[in-house]
Amino acid sequence: MKKNRRQSRAIVRLKEIWRRFCKNRIALAGFIVFMCIMMVVVFADVIVPYEMTEKPSPPDRLTPPCAEHPFGTDEFGRSVFARIIHAAPNSLFIGFTVSFGSLLVGGTLGIACGYFGGRFDNLIMRFLDMISALPGSLLAIVMVAVLGPNMRNLIIALIVGHIAGFARMCRSVALSISEQEYIKAAKAGGSSDLRIIFRHAVPNAASTLIINTTMSISGVILSACSLSFIGLGVQPPKPEWGAMLNDARQYFNGSPYLMVIPGLAILITSISINMMGDGLRDALDPKLKS
Amino acid sequence: MSEVNHTPFLEVKDLRIIYKTDLETVYAVNGISFKLEKGQTLGLVGETGAGKTTTALSLLRLLPERTGKVVDGTITIEGQDLATMDDEALRQMRGGQIAMIFQDPMTSLNPVMTVADQIGESIMIHNPEFNKEQILARVKEVLNLVGIAENRASDYPHQFSGGMKQRVVIAMALACNPHLIIADEPTTALDVTIQAQVISMMRNLRDTLGTAMIMITHDLGIVAQTCDNVAIMYAGELIEVGTAEDIFCAEKHHPYTVGLFGSIPNLNVKVDRLSPIPGLMPDPTNLPEGCPFAPRCNKCMPICEKQKPGVYQDGEHQIRCHLFTGAAKGGQ
Amino acid sequence: MIRYVVKRFLMLIPLVLCITFVVYGLMSLAPGDPASIMLPSNAPQEQKDALNHKLGYDRPFLVKYADFVYNLVFKGDFGISYRTQQPIINEFKTRLPISITLAFTSLTLAACIGIPLGVLSAVKQYSLLDTIPSVMALTLSAVPSFWFGMMLIYFLAYKLGLFPSYGMGGIEHWVLPTLTIAVVYAAEILRYTRSSMLETIRADYVRTARAKGVAERTVIWKHAMKNGLLPVITLLGSSFGAQIGGAIVTENLYNLPGLGTLTLVSINMRDTPTVVATSVIFATLYNIILILVDLMYAFIDPRIKAKYSR
């Protein structure tokens, strides 16, 4: 009974958020585009079989876009269309795994630091300071190079690079929440630490976390593509947008479509996620919006 | 005391203000009218959300640009229509003729400018002929006036306590000898002891400088101490207006005013329990058709829910309530 | 205040030492040895071993690491590169100025575009002057910088022949790399400035300034700007630090002999001393800039200054 009421209250809140989200035309457009991309990911094999990404066809090499090859063919005569479609799952998988992975690891560390404080907090935060003292993608590059360039290692390296940011964010959220009266009240009421964290702190931090995680996905996709671009990511012959751009560099005089199309694919994916993220922020936290 | 054909210092006529956002329209001020003479103090009393601050901001045309709109009515300052003032005249009026003391001294001061700079800025704007020394001299003068040592002029706001910050805000308002000071709950953010100091300081300043004042508050004690006239505001309407004497001593009152007095503990009368006004203010996005107070009123009649009450007038005392306008007799 | 700064600089030392350990450790875990990568694959094993011995690669990890740190701390020397067998410091002399110049010019340009447009779109919120820059910034912030660079090369260098697309030389060689980095950062700076200014414009003290009769222009430039730009300074500082090391992709794209290319080559060649040395340089520069940003903050915001002098 009590649980039902709690559920229905959550549904009402979600409906309200959804209504506000839909009122924002930019966010809705981003959402629709993103859903289309997700459809492509799910039905990739229906749209065009995976074999097409590998099948070389020397006579057709470097054919500009035509009826038979909608996006043209690359230097081996492979269909760029098929490769673009089948690269989408890779990029999105990396984006989501890294964002949620680093949210999980960084978030746990950060909330624990903020909540327990003291020596534990100090130790973890100094360690994270050290990781983030290496600027930009350097750590990720070294890690991928050491572990060997492939998708799994790329994900691990990017997660390590993103942990510090998430941990800091969660720590400050946890700190500000633990100062609030309702946490003090819960403590005074004798709730256990874990119960306080999961029943009170997490739900109240949720909107900040959701917004930042969504916003980070497109950044992750961009970093993953740029690592693949310099040869430290998903390895050929697997299709990947950044790697395709790298291959295209040699042929851009004659076949500019080879570099325009993968770039547009990255752009559309990350912009749709950004638009959604902006809308989500406004819908979840209306006070941030003017 | 009012003469025929005399223009009062400030006249507000049938003012209506709305806040419009994508999602809703808030009817903040709904047709209020009042006058203020030079040197007088008007108390604007009401609960949070009654539209007091909105009224005050509209007097300086400081409503949030995109959302806040004056939809009807006029504001006349020394015979000049506020709505038609150009930017230059408006700037001269702000801070020069009318100065405002804001509610929260903690956030009303710019954290990255010294106190002297912030007070001096206003002096510089309204006295362009002053040189640096003259400005500084005036800054020190007003700081003395509000009881802050001169040597603190070059300090930053974060180096002051809450009460001292409010004094700085007041000094800023006084700096150019305005004809009217609008004080928006100047003591809400302060401790009780500091409150008393600030109020008595403001009263002294008003008496020595002869400035008119609009005192916005929900504290009837402050009203009794400082005001000549009182206007009681509820859901964007002035439901009772009169001299301080009318409000505190007259026989007839709006039920809301009675309720307001009822919710203040009185040490001289023995009561078993305090009687707060039951209920909440009506939703300003969806105001009731009749009297806005009807849903909470203990003397509510059928007519109150259907029709807006007219004005009952006795000298300067005005009450907007069906109880006194005669309509009630027909209704009952 | 001075004590605070000194303390911050002293804290840098253990930080950098930890970084050398982590990077050195990571690199030593990497498969492959320098000799096998440098020599042709059919070279006899003895030759490879001899080279590895000559480079000092065959010593135990801790000995190598201790040697590196000893040289760094007591001689201020980064040691000898495995790849070139020359002192690493020589490489830095020519490469560091390139990376710093690139980061400095491109971020200055980005700030010059991003900040005024960000302020403008916040002040004119909901008008076309807000919508157009904001939509452009939203789009550009989703553009991968290397792809933007490729498009610049294609249109400005290849199609129109305005600028050279690779290598070093006169000032014209800097145009495309600078633009590549600047435009993407300008978008980020614009978005940041806009949201920070929107918040500041609504602050109570800005309303106080208006109530004093301050002209709208002065309200924005004097009262709101100083507060609104504080977070933007942090963004600029950390971007500058990150950009010195993060130009790896851009330098790679334009074939610029900066620190980024050196890092990438050294990682691929398993040239551990050079990789660690570049990491030390990156981390030191990055953190010095962060300290400078904090100092600038204190200079602008008296509240922060008060916190530091405590």
Side-chain angles (χ1 to χ4, degrees):
Chain A
M1 178 71 191
K2 195 179 166 193
K3 199 171 178 193
N4 274 341
R5 203 182 311 146
R6 198 182 291 149
Q7 270 172 352
S8 68
R9 214 183 307 144
I11 290 170
V12 168
R13 206 172 121 69
L14 283 180
K15 272 188 182 156
E16 169 65 18
I17 290 170
W18 176 244
R19 193 177 67 86
R20 276 198 295 240
F21 185 85
C22 289
K23 272 208 131 170
N24 185 339
R25 253 176 291 162
I26 293 183
L28 200 61
F31 180 73
I32 292 170
V33 174
F34 182 72
M35 279 300 133
C36 295
I37 297 170
M38 288 311 278
M39 297 291 273
V40 169
V41 169
V42 173
F43 295 111
D45 285 318
V46 181
I47 300 170
V48 55
Y50 187 82
E51 296 83 67
M52 290 294 285
T53 66
E54 289 168 339
K55 201 177 76 190
S57 137
D60 288 345
R61 64 190 293 269
L62 299 177
T63 316
C66 59
E68 196 189 343
H69 301 289
F71 292 166
T73 59
D74 65 5
E75 71 271 26
F76 300 112
R78 296 174 299 194
S79 158
V80 175
F81 179 70
R83 292 178 64 75
I84 292 281
I85 298 288
H86 283 279
N90 292 340
S91 284
L92 285 167
F93 179 73
I94 294 173
F96 278 84
T97 326
V98 171
S99 290
F100 285 97
S102 37
L103 171 68
L104 201 70
V105 182
T108 315
L109 279 177
I111 290 177
C113 281
Y115 189 79
F116 295 114
R119 197 175 290 169
F120 176 76
D121 178 26
N122 235 322
L123 190 76
I124 300 287
M125 289 323 282
R126 289 297 80 75
F127 179 71
L128 293 176
D129 278 350
M130 195 193 70
I131 289 185
S132 46
L134 278 173
S137 42
L138 188 64
L139 186 73
I141 290 176
V142 173
M143 281 189 66
V144 175
V146 168
L147 298 172
N150 61 40
M151 194 153 121
R152 191 200 63 196
N153 294 341
L154 179 66
I155 289 175
I156 294 175
L158 287 173
I159 287 181
V160 172
H162 280 82
I163 283 177
F166 276 100
R168 284 217 187 87
M169 177 182 80
C170 292
R171 179 174 174 269
S172 68
V173 170
L175 275 180
S176 69
I177 287 175
S178 65
E179 291 299 309
Q180 312 240 315
E181 296 301 324
Y182 58 83
I183 297 288
K184 286 186 192 152
K187 264 190 189 169
S191 293
S192 74
D193 282 352
L194 275 182
R195 195 181 144 75
I196 290 175
I197 290 177
F198 284 101
R199 287 279 309 137
H200 299 274
V202 171
N204 281 290
S207 64
T208 317
L209 300 188
I210 292 172
I211 293 164
N212 281 288
T213 311
T214 315
M215 298 292 228
S216 79
I217 294 173
S218 70
V220 170
I221 291 179
L222 291 187
S223 327
C225 286
S226 53
L227 282 175
S228 299
F229 178 72
I230 54 175
L232 291 170
V234 179
Q235 292 297 301
K238 260 196 177 179
E240 207 280 347
W241 296 330
M244 288 170 77
L245 282 170
N246 190 20
D247 296 339
R249 279 212 260 179
Q250 286 155 285
Y251 304 99
F252 79 80
N253 310 3
S255 314
Y257 61 90
L258 278 182
M259 80 180 175
V260 173
I261 292 164
L264 284 181
I266 303 174
L267 172 64
I268 292 169
T269 311
S270 84
I271 203 173
S272 70
I273 294 172
N274 278 351
M275 279 154 75
M276 246 172 32
D278 276 355
L280 207 59
R281 181 190 58 202
D282 295 345
L284 281 174
D285 209 346
K287 61 180 179 291
L288 285 179
K289 191 193 175 192
S290 59
Chain B
M1 72 170 259
S2 56
E3 302 155 33
V4 191
N5 285 340
H6 158 83
T7 3
F9 172 72
L10 169 75
E11 186 166 18
V12 173
K13 257 194 198 145
D14 198 33
L15 184 67
R16 284 171 195 280
I17 300 170
I18 58 165
Y19 289 107
K20 202 174 165 131
T21 62
D22 297 345
L23 299 176
E24 56 194 16
T25 306
V26 173
Y27 297 91
V29 175
N30 305 306
I32 64 166
S33 306
F34 63 89
K35 286 178 191 170
L36 187 67
E37 302 290 342
K38 277 202 168 131
Q40 276 194 332
T41 300
L42 171 72
L44 202 53
V45 186
E47 285 168 274
T48 309
K52 297 166 294 174
T53 303
T54 304
T55 310
L57 289 176
S58 73
L59 295 180
L60 285 170
R61 254 170 64 185
L62 277 175
L63 291 170
E65 226 170 87
R66 219 180 102 82
T67 47
K69 269 194 195 77
V70 174
V71 284
D72 198 9
T74 53
I75 299 168
T76 324
I77 295 156
E78 292 186 322
Q80 215 185 346
D81 185 4
L82 182 69
T84 60
M85 272 188 193
D86 61 20
D87 284 357
E88 185 54 33
L90 189 68
R91 284 204 309 110
Q92 292 303 329
M93 188 273 290
R94 288 178 180 168
Q97 271 169 297
I98 303 183
M100 185 150 176
I101 298 169
F102 289 98
Q103 209 174 102
D104 186 355
M106 308 300 165
T107 56
S108 305
L109 292 171
N110 191 331
V112 302
M113 283 169 76
T114 63
V115 161
D117 283 346
Q118 295 190 53
I119 300 173
E121 190 176 29
S122 150
I123 300 168
M124 192 176 70
I125 290 165
H126 299 289
N127 305 283
E129 73 283 2
F130 275 24
N131 62 26
K132 271 189 184 161
E133 286 76 36
Q134 282 169 304
I135 291 175
L136 192 64
R138 176 71 186 147
V139 168
K140 289 183 173 166
E141 202 179 313
V142 285
L143 281 178
N144 275 328
L145 215 55
V146 296
I148 294 178
E150 281 178 11
N151 60 8
R152 302 213 55 189
S154 52
D155 283 356
Y156 286 93
H158 70 95
Q159 289 161 296
F160 289 86
S161 67
M164 295 292 263
K165 272 188 204 155
Q166 190 59 293
R167 282 165 190 259
V168 174
V169 174
I170 294 170
M172 213 149 75
L174 292 174
C176 300
N177 292 323
H179 302 159
L180 168 64
I181 292 178
I182 303 169
D184 185 4
E185 308 200 9
T187 56
T188 315
L190 308 177
D191 296 337
V192 182
T193 44
I194 313 285
Q195 271 183 22
Q197 283 176 25
V198 170
I199 288 295
S200 73
M201 183 191 82
M202 286 178 67
R203 209 171 46 199
N204 289 339
L205 291 172
R206 181 201 58 193
D207 293 344
T208 46
L209 303 174
T211 320
M213 200 145 84
I214 294 181
M215 176 67 83
I216 297 174
T217 179
H218 47 235
D219 185 337
L220 286 167
I222 293 176
V223 175
Q225 284 174 52
T226 52
C227 299
D228 304 313
N229 293 303
V230 182
I232 296 180
M233 202 163 182
Y234 185 81
E237 292 179 27
L238 292 183
I239 48 137
E240 184 165 353
V241 183
T243 61
E245 212 172 308
D246 289 334
I247 301 295
F248 287 94
C249 309
E251 299 248 319
K252 291 177 175 169
H253 283 300
H254 194 283
Y256 177 64
T257 316
V258 177
L260 268 188
F261 280 96
S263 49
I264 298 175
N266 188 338
L267 287 180
N268 301 325
V269 184
K270 199 176 172 228
V271 278
D272 287 339
R273 61 168 64 195
L274 292 172
S275 55
I277 310 172
L280 293 169
M281 269 227 291
D283 176 5
T285 62
N286 183 21
L287 290 170
E289 200 183 321
C291 172
F293 188 59
R296 292 168 81 182
C297 185
N298 53 6
K299 296 198 175 108
C300 182
M301 301 173 290
I303 190 173
C304 298
E305 283 165 4
K306 283 179 227 130
Q307 203 184 325
K308 285 232 178 275
V311 179
Y312 160 85
Q313 189 128 15
D314 175 15
E316 285 188 47
H317 194 183
Q318 298 177 0
I319 305 174
R320 253 171 218 278
C321 180
H322 285 299
L323 280 177
F324 310 108
T325 53
K329 282 162 204 151
Q332 260 178 337
Chain C
M1 191 72 199
I2 291 169
R3 259 188 61 196
Y4 172 81
V5 177
V6 171
K7 207 175 112 194
R8 284 285 302 268
F9 272 102
L10 287 179
M11 299 240 295
L12 255 180
I13 296 169
L15 184 78
V16 169
L17 282 180
C18 286
I19 287 172
T20 60
F21 183 77
V22 170
V23 178
Y24 214 110
L26 268 175
M27 284 303 289
S28 69
L29 292 175
D33 56 281
S36 330
I37 294 169
M38 283 155 65
L39 294 171
S41 51
N42 57 359
Q45 189 60 39
E46 299 85 67
Q47 201 185 337
K48 288 182 185 170
D49 288 344
L51 182 58
N52 276 340
H53 183 73
K54 189 179 158 211
L55 296 172
Y57 177 79
D58 56 352
R59 291 173 297 165
F61 167 69
L62 277 180
V63 176
K64 281 189 289 184
Y65 177 67
D67 191 38
F68 179 85
V69 171
Y70 177 82
N71 278 328
L72 180 62
V73 173
F74 294 100
K75 297 186 190 156
D77 185 12
F78 286 116
I80 308 286
S81 157
Y82 288 164
R83 184 173 60 93
T84 60
Q85 300 181 32
Q86 298 288 317
I88 295 170
I89 200 90
N90 291 352
E91 293 252 36
F92 284 174
K93 277 181 196 147
T94 57
R95 287 170 183 269
L96 191 57
I98 293 174
S99 295
I100 290 184
T101 317
L102 187 59
F104 185 77
T105 50
S106 51
L107 274 157
T108 311
L109 184 63
C112 291
I113 302 170
I115 293 177
L117 281 180
V119 173
L120 186 73
S121 64
V123 173
K124 307 271 177 204
Q125 199 190 5
Y126 302 110
S127 77
L128 270 185
L129 283 175
D130 172 29
T131 320
I132 295 172
S134 298
V135 168
M136 273 175 60
L138 183 71
T139 316
L140 282 173
S141 63
V143 171
S145 68
F146 57 93
W147 183 64
F148 185 72
M150 290 171 85
M151 300 309 273
L152 285 181
I153 292 177
Y154 184 72
F155 287 106
L156 298 185
Y158 177 70
K159 282 277 175 193
L160 299 174
L162 292 178
F163 306 103
S165 62
Y166 64 90
M168 294 295 302
I171 200 163
E172 67 275 11
H173 285 88
W174 290 96
V175 176
L176 293 187
T178 308
L179 271 182
T180 307
I181 301 171
V183 170
V184 175
Y185 270 109
E188 197 182 340
I189 292 172
L190 190 155
R191 278 157 63 92
Y192 218 75
T193 311
R194 179 174 178 273
S195 68
S196 159
M197 281 300 281
L198 277 180
E199 207 171 289
T200 321
I201 287 174
R202 285 178 177 72
D204 281 356
Y205 55 81
V206 171
R207 191 176 59 184
T208 310
R210 289 208 181 98
K212 279 193 288 194
V214 179
E216 192 55 31
R217 187 191 298 234
T218 321
V219 168
I220 302 297
W221 291 97
K222 191 169 159 196
H223 290 262
M225 273 290 249
K226 254 186 160 182
N227 291 284
L229 286 190
L230 280 175
V232 181
I233 291 174
T234 315
L235 174 74
L236 271 178
S238 58
S239 311
F240 183 67
Q243 191 51 48
I244 294 175
I248 293 177
V249 175
T250 318
E251 286 178 11
N252 176 290
L253 183 63
Y254 289 98
N255 253 323
L256 291 180
L259 275 190
T261 0
L262 176 67
T263 316
L264 196 58
V265 170
S266 309
I267 289 174
N268 287 332
M269 297 291 248
R270 305 287 180 262
D271 186 355
T272 309
T274 312
V275 176
V276 182
T278 48
S279 307
V280 168
I281 292 283
F282 287 149
T284 315
L285 279 175
Y286 184 50
N287 283 283
I288 288 178
I289 288 162
L290 291 187
I291 296 175
L292 292 181
V293 166
D294 282 357
L295 285 180
M296 208 148 130
Y297 236 98
F299 188 69
I300 297 176
D301 192 335
R303 288 166 297 180
I304 307 281
K305 194 172 183 174
K307 219 196 277 170
Y308 291 167
S309 359
R310 232 182 279 146

